Amino acid sequence: MFITFEGIDGSGKSTQARMLADHLRANGRDVVLTREPGGSAGAEEIRRLVLEGDPDRWSAETEILLFTAARRDHLERVIDPALKAGKVVISDRFADSTRMYQGLSRGDLRGTVDRLHDMMIVREPDLTFLIDMEPETGLARAKGRNGTEERFEDFGAGLQARMREGFLALAAEFPARFRVIDGDRSPEMVAAEVAAIADRALA
Ligand code: ADP
Ligand code: TYD
């Protein structure tokens, strides 16, 4: 079972991915918790290239190649071997993030993202949690972390708003695997809903 968390920056994906991993491990499941961009040694190196520096450091087209290269390494070395071994893989972001951030943010490049995905990645999650919330709340939370990986946050609130709408449209496009979760509640309340859905899917 391959589970992903998606949503705008600061929506609580990392927090929820960790809480779901804890929940499933407590129930005796073998869980690999990972993230994108990154999740393997090579992909973590690419992470620094894409998340630090000026917003206009890379074009959207170059980013599609960098994120897809990172994902391919992550898939070959971490995700596919774990799924083959029968483990549950939980990833904080995956290909839906490229469909949104590179496919929608600077013109319509969704077709290019999908073609490269079909060629190099193919795999889709079995279950995707979209943690949905107001862009202002997400951006305030993300900025509150005060890190160096702020390249996409620095695109501003307009981008966050478009990404939110885009993710909701994506959930409607792939209703079989997407579950939309209201992220504007306590972490425990969100986690309880996520755990109930994951338990049903795994049963
Ligand atoms: P994401 O991975 O989506 O960017 P994080 O899980 O890193 O989000 O959360 C962003 C920030 O918001 C963190 O400082 C985290 O502690 C906080 N946070 C996470 N979930 C909640 C919540 N339900 N309510 C309030 N703050 C939260
Ligand atoms: P992440 O570490 O999940 O940041 P956050 O916790 O703020 O949500 O992801 C960092 C950024 O990378 C995020 O702004 C979205 C961007 N991103 C893409 O643009 N394309 C992708 O394919 C992925 C996986 C992430």
Side-chain angles (χ1 to χ4, degrees):
M1 172 79 111
F2 180 31
I3 302 175
T4 58
F5 284 84
E6 297 282 359
I8 59 174
D9 300 289
S11 55
K13 298 175 299 298
S14 314
T15 304
Q16 292 304 322
R18 207 177 323 113
M19 290 173 89
L20 179 62
D22 290 346
H23 168 78
L24 296 178
R25 282 173 185 145
N27 289 338
R29 302 252 180 209
D30 206 344
V31 177
V32 172
L33 175 60
T34 186
R35 69 162 179 186
E36 290 204 349
S40 61
E44 290 288 336
E45 288 194 38
I46 297 175
R47 179 181 177 98
R48 272 189 286 114
L49 297 176
V50 285
L51 296 194
E52 297 180 16
D54 279 356
D56 62 3
R57 181 177 183 185
W58 309 108
S59 70
E61 287 83 351
T62 309
E63 280 174 20
I64 295 173
L65 294 167
L66 289 168
F67 279 104
T68 305
R71 180 161 307 126
R72 175 74 197 201
D73 191 63
H74 186 208
L75 194 69
E76 285 176 5
R77 289 165 199 267
V78 176
I79 298 175
D80 278 346
L83 292 173
K84 269 206 193 80
K87 296 175 186 176
V88 177
V89 176
I90 301 175
S91 187
D92 180 356
R93 293 195 187 277
F94 191 65
D96 294 319
S97 284
T98 314
R99 293 185 173 108
M100 292 298 102
Y101 287 82
Q102 282 65 49
L104 285 189
S105 65
R106 285 146 287 173
D108 182 5
L109 291 174
R110 172 73 190 277
T112 308
V113 171
D114 283 341
R115 279 199 300 281
L116 202 56
H117 178 87
D118 290 345
M119 211 180 338
M120 288 297 161
I121 307 296
V122 182
R123 187 178 286 285
E124 297 289 353
D126 301 298
L127 179 61
T128 299
F129 291 104
L130 171 55
I131 311 294
D132 178 58
M133 66 165 48
E134 291 295 329
E136 294 74 25
T137 314
L139 197 58
R141 284 188 193 172
K143 283 282 181 191
R145 286 180 305 209
N146 252 326
T148 53
E149 296 181 335
E150 301 217 327
R151 193 168 153 254
F152 284 90
E153 276 97 337
D154 290 343
F155 279 102
L159 178 77
Q160 292 275 95
R162 273 191 294 138
M163 293 299 101
R164 185 209 194 172
E165 291 312 314
F167 273 122
L168 288 170
L170 204 60
E173 187 180 336
F174 301 108
R177 67 176 167 91
F178 263 94
R179 297 292 176 273
V180 181
I181 307 290
D182 173 11
D184 203 358
R185 296 175 288 168
S186 73
E188 292 72 23
M189 281 181 70
V190 178
E193 186 181 354
V194 165
I197 293 169
D199 285 344
R200 269 203 305 280
L202 281 159

